């Protein structure tokens, strides 16, 4: 027991005498930290990787799509989707199956106003049964958007 107590006492004195950082000046209020310059390069590289990853992924947000067709005829749904892809190559077109119906939707509009302008364009090809539906849309972030890293 006596040996254990002397060991603990020696350990405490040793721990008090060790210093992990250099204290500058007599005031004892400032600390000098020596940092490797490669750490800044690693931080910068990590930030670039995070930004590239964020920019390359699609994010799901609430928005609107234009629903062009709701039918139980699969062949008709595929032909409508094909025509929409030909007429609007910049817009993403969706074939959604909710038993027993096939729904064709187009666009990823953030606002209803954007969906209304797309609806007017689609109405030139399909004048009836076209309406705006709320949906979870896929958005690829722009460079101008605020980034959360």
């Amino acid at each position: 027991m006596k040996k254990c107590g002397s060991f603990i006492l020696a350990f405490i004195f040793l721990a008090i005498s060790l210093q992990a950082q250099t204290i500058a000046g007599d005031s004892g209020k400032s600390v000098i930290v020596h940092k490797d310059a490669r750490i800044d390069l690693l931080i910068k590289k990590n930030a670039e990787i995070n930004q590239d990853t964020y920019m390359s992924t699609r994010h799901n947000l609430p928005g609107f799509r234009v629903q062009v067709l709701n039918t139980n005829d699969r062949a008709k749904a595929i032909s409508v989707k094909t025509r929409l892809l030909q007429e609007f190559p910049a817009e993403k077109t969706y074939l959604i199956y909710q038993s027993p119906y096939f729904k064709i939707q187009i666009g990823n509009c953030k606002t209803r106003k954007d969906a209304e302008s797309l609806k007017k364009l689609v109405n030139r090809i399909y004048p009836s049964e076209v309406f705006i539906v709320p949906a979870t849309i896929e958005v690829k972030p722009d460079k101008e958007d605020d980034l959360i890293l």
Side-chain angles (χ1 to χ4, degrees):
M1 186 72 139
K2 199 172 193 183
K3 289 181 183 180
C4 183
S6 62
F7 176 73
I8 293 174
L9 189 60
F11 180 74
I12 291 173
F13 285 122
L14 181 64
I16 292 172
S17 66
L18 294 178
Q19 292 183 357
Q21 298 175 343
T22 305
I23 300 175
D26 294 332
S27 64
K29 293 184 180 179
S30 62
V31 176
I32 298 172
V33 178
H34 300 283
K35 179 175 75 168
D36 192 348
R38 295 177 292 178
I39 292 175
D40 290 331
L41 293 173
L42 287 173
I43 291 171
K44 184 179 177 185
K45 184 67 175 174
N46 191 19
E48 290 173 2
I49 291 170
N50 286 345
Q51 183 176 7
D52 290 342
T53 303
Y54 179 81
M55 297 303 286
S56 67
T57 58
R58 293 188 180 270
H59 300 282
N60 296 328
L61 299 172
F64 300 94
R65 289 192 182 135
V66 176
Q67 184 163 314
V68 181
L69 182 68
N70 186 19
T71 183
N72 57 3
D73 184 6
R74 183 173 189 258
K76 183 178 180 181
I78 291 174
S79 69
V80 168
K81 181 178 179 181
T82 303
R83 182 154 184 216
L84 287 173
L85 286 170
Q86 291 171 351
E87 296 291 328
F88 304 101
E91 295 292 336
K92 190 154 183 185
T93 307
Y94 300 89
L95 173 70
I96 301 167
Y97 179 69
Q98 290 179 338
S99 183
Y101 297 106
F102 295 92
K103 298 179 181 183
I104 302 296
Q105 297 178 352
I106 186 170
N108 285 313
C109 304
K110 291 181 182 178
T111 64
R112 189 166 186 88
K113 184 178 179 182
D114 294 339
E116 288 173 0
S117 62
L118 179 60
K119 181 184 176 215
K120 287 179 185 177
L121 296 172
V122 173
N123 273 338
R124 294 179 186 166
I125 302 168
Y126 298 101
S128 63
E129 298 182 22
V130 176
F131 55 94
I132 297 170
V133 293
T136 301
I137 62 170
E138 297 175 0
V139 178
K140 191 165 185 177
D142 296 331
K143 291 274 186 192
E144 301 88 36
D145 291 346
D146 293 332
L147 297 178
I148 302 171
L149 299 177

